Amino acid sequence: MEEGSEILQLYEIRYSDLLLLSSSSSSCSHYQEKMIMENLGPTGPGLLAITNVPDASLLRRKLLPLARRLALLSPDDRKRILRDHNLGSDVPLKNPDRNVSSFAMQLKYAQGTEAIESKPSDGVGSHLNLENETMGRISDIEDDVFDNLENMFKALGLCMMEIGLCLARICDTAIGGNELEQSLLESCAAKGRLIHYHSMVDSLVLREAGPKKGSSKRNANNHARSKENLLKGANLDTNGNEVRLCEIHPNLWQQWHYDYGIFTLLTDPMFLLSSHRTTVKSEFSNSSGQECASPSGHSYLQVFHPNKNKVLMVKASPESFIVQVGESADILSKGKLRSTLHCVRRPARFENLSRETFVVFLQPAWSKTFSISDYPMEQYNPSVHHLEQAEEHYFADQDQNALTQEIQKIVPPLSARLKDGMTFAEFSRETTKQYYGGSGLQSNK
């Protein structure tokens, strides 16, 4: 079914045009602004792409392969390198059954709330403390592959934050007011994540390298079961138990969900091939992998497009940035922007293929209060209305409806997570609880 999935070729806007559109003195055509709102609004897919960003290509090529290297390091070496470069992780790296490794850092806006009062006329670059010397050092990291990890992380992250601010200003102009840009600047920070989506070979290597408990016979049986599950494309929960929540699409790196911030910015992913016949020793000593093209030519990011009642596979130009709308933007815009229901799919028949990406999550301040008195909950509630609307097409596409029903079972409705007067901190806690808490819909998935 993967090969037959309909492709969503993202609407693209050049970085230089984005800067001009976000300028207070812009005299650009309203056509681009209209297309941005159509793609991010309630009738669009909820995402678009930014192309031709200066220096982004080099930063992406240097930084993304480090995700796999970090994931496959020995725990002690990884802990030391993360500490030296002011990085942490928001996934349990001690769990050898994990499908994803993520390395995170808080990225700060240079001026915070003071920048709101004086918007520059040439875009929003002055909000960010982009150090020129960082870019000058990027090409000098061959001696030690991790030497410039922190500088590259910050440089690429701040570049993506600038894109988010530009886009927020453009959307504010179309909607009226400056709610989105102000909310981003008041937060003073964003979260960057360097993410490695494990190949099946990576997962086996981590299991072999992990602590051995119990009898050797039991360990051998568990290893054989893990290998069988991986080759079948089964997902594993945090305890290593097989879960098949959606039989139509069981093979996911990341389950269906909405991001709950304002915008999520992602690099076009990089794919790495490792050797089929690998050992723990060889993988840990040579963990860079070989870069290759996407097997299908797309990103393996899937989105549910409610107006088309379809799951679409996202395709963007190489080395572009993908921008997704989060639930906070949906709420703050009173439904004029639409949050993106999405997942990440694992390619079939490529057990030695991993996926690397860099993501920046732009969100409001934790103290930001949501007012939903004039939010069109019934019309725009993406977790309920759009999926229920899709069920009306049951007889037109029974397979698609079955998938829609499965998604409904694991995505908690916005109306159950959002109450009038909630702060963003309260909303994020409630969202996390209803997805992953003890009784959450994806608590054991």
Side-chain angles (χ1 to χ4, degrees):
M1 188 169 180
E2 176 187 309
E3 288 74 10
S5 297
E6 185 175 335
I7 301 299
L8 172 64
Q9 180 69 54
L10 294 185
Y11 172 72
E12 297 180 344
I13 180 170
R14 292 172 60 91
Y15 176 75
S16 56
D17 290 337
L18 186 78
L19 290 179
L20 285 173
L21 281 170
S22 68
S23 170
S24 58
S25 60
S26 173
S27 58
C28 293
S29 168
H30 290 292
Y31 172 77
Q32 286 180 308
E33 180 182 297
K34 176 185 176 185
M35 291 301 297
I36 288 173
M37 294 305 295
E38 281 188 6
N39 281 273
L40 301 185
T43 61
L47 67 174
L48 50 71
I50 309 298
T51 63
N52 301 98
V53 180
D55 301 312
S57 176
L58 177 61
L59 284 167
R60 174 184 174 275
R61 288 201 311 271
K62 295 291 188 181
L63 181 62
L64 264 57
L66 301 186
R68 184 171 187 266
R69 286 184 178 269
L70 284 169
L72 296 185
L73 280 176
S74 66
D76 288 342
D77 287 340
R78 181 172 56 237
K79 183 177 180 180
R80 173 179 53 80
I81 290 172
L82 294 181
R83 182 186 64 243
D84 290 348
H85 293 277
N86 295 307
L87 287 166
S89 181
D90 42 16
V91 299
L93 295 177
K94 292 183 179 179
N95 174 21
D97 293 325
R98 67 188 186 274
N99 285 331
V100 175
S101 293
S102 173
F103 309 100
M105 180 192 295
Q106 288 291 323
L107 302 165
K108 297 183 181 298
Y109 294 103
Q111 299 177 12
T113 54
E114 293 179 3
I116 300 171
E117 299 175 359
S118 57
K119 297 181 181 179
S121 60
D122 58 347
V124 295
S126 65
H127 290 328
L128 306 174
N129 186 20
L130 292 172
E131 301 180 24
N132 293 329
E133 62 268 25
T134 295
M135 297 304 303
R137 292 195 297 260
I138 296 303
S139 59
D140 300 324
I141 67 168
E142 299 301 327
D143 291 342
D144 185 336
V145 73
F146 293 114
D147 270 358
N148 233 14
L149 173 60
E150 181 178 357
N151 288 329
M152 290 191 296
F153 196 109
K154 287 180 177 179
L156 189 56
L158 292 171
C159 173
M160 294 162 75
M161 291 163 71
E162 179 183 12
I163 291 172
L165 282 170
C166 285
L167 198 57
R169 180 177 296 174
I170 294 167
C171 292
D172 279 338
T173 299
I175 295 167
N178 65 340
E179 183 76 14
L180 296 173
E181 183 186 16
Q182 181 173 336
S183 295
L184 290 178
L185 290 170
E186 285 177 344
S187 73
C188 298
K191 176 178 278 191
R193 285 179 183 162
L194 180 62
I195 302 177
H196 170 63
Y197 293 91
H198 295 203
S199 70
M200 296 178 188
V201 169
D202 293 340
S203 297
L204 291 174
V205 167
L206 289 172
R207 284 177 176 79
E208 291 178 9
K212 306 296 189 295
K213 296 181 180 180
S215 67
S216 58
K217 181 178 181 180
R218 183 187 306 167
N219 288 330
N221 290 337
N222 287 341
H223 176 73
R225 176 175 173 267
S226 295
K227 186 171 183 179
E228 180 183 3
N229 285 338
L230 285 165
L231 295 178
K232 284 180 180 178
N235 287 319
L236 300 174
D237 68 11
T238 55
N239 297 312
N241 300 313
E242 181 181 355
V243 291
R244 290 190 175 275
L245 182 131
C246 178
E247 290 296 339
I248 298 174
H249 284 296
N251 198 11
L252 299 179
W253 262 316
Q254 190 171 31
Q255 194 51 263
W256 288 97
H257 67 286
Y258 291 93
D259 294 340
Y260 53 78
I262 292 178
F263 292 133
T264 303
L265 285 90
L266 313 90
T267 60
D268 185 54
M270 175 183 290
F271 295 92
L272 299 177
L273 280 174
S274 58
S275 171
H276 278 276
R277 299 191 177 188
T278 187
T279 64
V280 174
K281 184 176 180 180
S282 67
E283 246 347 71
F284 276 110
S285 61
N286 183 24
S287 57
S288 59
Q290 179 182 352
E291 184 178 355
C292 66
S294 167
S296 59
H298 54 64
S299 66
Y300 288 92
L301 171 67
Q302 286 187 313
V303 298
F304 180 79
H305 195 312
N307 287 73
K308 293 186 176 182
N309 182 37
K310 287 182 179 179
V311 171
L312 304 175
M313 195 73 80
V314 172
K315 183 176 182 179
S317 295
E319 302 180 348
S320 63
F321 290 106
I322 299 171
V323 184
Q324 293 178 178
V325 177
E327 288 180 312
S328 291
D330 197 324
I331 297 163
L332 292 172
S333 69
K334 312 300 182 186
K336 291 183 175 62
L337 300 179
R338 186 180 68 77
S339 50
T340 314
L341 177 59
H342 62 283
C343 70
V344 181
R345 184 174 177 80
R346 188 196 293 269
R349 301 184 300 279
F350 288 92
E351 63 267 22
N352 62 331
L353 186 74
S354 67
R355 182 180 187 268
E356 324 301 321
T357 191
F358 184 74
V359 184
V360 173
F361 297 90
L362 305 180
Q363 61 189 42
W366 294 113
S367 59
K368 177 70 176 179
T369 300
F370 291 137
S371 172
I372 61 172
S373 57
D374 52 352
Y375 175 75
M377 185 71 74
E378 293 302 319
Q379 183 178 356
Y380 289 109
N381 186 345
S383 300
V384 178
H385 172 76
H386 287 145
L387 293 177
E388 289 179 349
Q389 186 182 55
E391 290 183 2
E392 297 174 1
H393 303 277
Y394 176 81
F395 293 106
D397 190 342
Q398 293 192 28
D399 284 346
Q400 192 69 50
N401 185 74
L403 176 58
T404 299
Q405 290 179 328
E406 290 292 342
I407 294 173
Q408 257 189 310
K409 294 177 183 177
I410 60 171
V411 177
L414 182 62
S415 57
R417 296 180 280 117
L418 177 65
K419 307 299 179 186
D420 193 43
M422 261 188 172
T423 64
F424 176 67
E426 292 168 336
F427 172 59
S428 64
R429 282 196 297 268
E430 186 62 29
T431 295
T432 302
K433 175 183 175 182
Q434 292 198 30
Y435 271 103
Y436 312 114
S439 59
L441 298 183
Q442 296 184 27
S443 60
N444 63 341
K445 312 294 191 292

